[in-house]
Every structure is written in structure tokens, then in C-alpha cells.
Amino acid sequence: TWMEWFTSSVDRRSTAGEEPLLAAFDAIAEWASSPGYRGCAFINSAAETAEIDDTHRRIIAAHKESLLTYLTSLAGDGGYAEPERLGRMVGVLLDGGMVEAAVLRSCEPIVAARDAAAVLIEASQ
């Protein structure tokens, strides 16, 4: 459900002319601004469980791989050099922004991550 919301939110923004990889950060900022935002449930599950078994690790990894596949496809569609590498770098920035936004109860970390992504995107052209 979350991935459906996320991809449609990014698609809506990119259709309006925004760079799709940067639109990902704006979608996350929108989510982080909503009441009750607690960050990524998958990251939280991995962090809060002392001993995570293989089944749960696979579920969490599948979600993260789905997100990375999507980001990589956006980078590929954008014609950027090394789209898989760029997608993974943007993914790390998104995850970090989500975590810090939840901890600090602020969208500023997402804005900072978006700014860092813009530098990476520019360098990848």
C-alpha cells in the first residue's frame, strides 16, 4: 500500500514537471508532515527487534529492494549515468531523511537529503 502511494505521489509531481528523483523527497516530506508520522515501518522493525529472523529480514529487504528498484528505474528513465548506483545513493538519502525526520519531528532532514540528492543528480548528468 505504501509503495502504491509513494509511486503515485512521485508520478503526480513529476507529471507536473518536477525531477522525479527529487519528487521522491517531496513525497516523503508530505508523508512526514502528516499527523502520527513515525518513519518507515520496515526500518523501525529492523531497528526495534533485538533478534530478527530470516523470514522478517527477507520481508524488510524485499520492501527496500522494491524501493531501490523504483528509484533505479527513475534514474534510468532520466538518462543518468550509472542509474543503479544513483538509485542506491538516493535510497540511502531517503532512508536517512525518513529516520531523522521521525526522531527530530522535523522535515528539515528530508530537505537536507533532497539538497544532497540534487548535487548527486547534477554530477550524474
Side-chain angles (χ1 to χ4, degrees):
T1 301
W2 185 88
M3 278 299 295
E4 289 175 11
W5 167 82
F6 179 68
T7 58
S8 67
S9 184
V10 171
D11 291 346
R12 178 174 35 87
R13 286 173 165 80
S14 59
T15 299
E18 190 172 352
E19 201 293 322
L21 288 169
L22 296 179
F25 292 90
D26 296 332
I28 296 299
E30 175 188 326
W31 176 42
S33 298
S34 66
Y37 173 76
R38 294 187 54 222
C40 175
F42 293 93
I43 293 172
N44 293 345
S45 294
E48 294 172 3
T49 305
E51 292 184 27
I52 207 165
D53 63 31
D54 287 342
T55 300
H56 291 103
R57 187 176 310 284
R58 279 193 299 273
I59 293 167
I60 293 166
H63 169 71
K64 287 298 162 189
E65 287 298 329
S66 176
L67 177 60
L68 292 172
T69 297
Y70 177 67
L71 295 171
T72 297
S73 73
L74 293 178
D77 292 348
Y80 296 110
E82 299 183 78
E84 185 173 323
R85 183 169 183 248
L86 180 59
R88 288 198 173 274
M89 289 189 291
V90 168
V92 169
L93 291 170
L94 274 175
D95 282 345
M98 283 187 269
V99 169
E100 281 195 18
V103 170
L104 300 175
R105 295 187 183 265
S106 168
C107 287
E108 285 304 312
I110 298 167
V111 173
R114 186 187 193 282
D115 291 345
V119 172
L120 291 172
I121 290 166
E122 178 70 27
S124 296
Q125 292 184 358

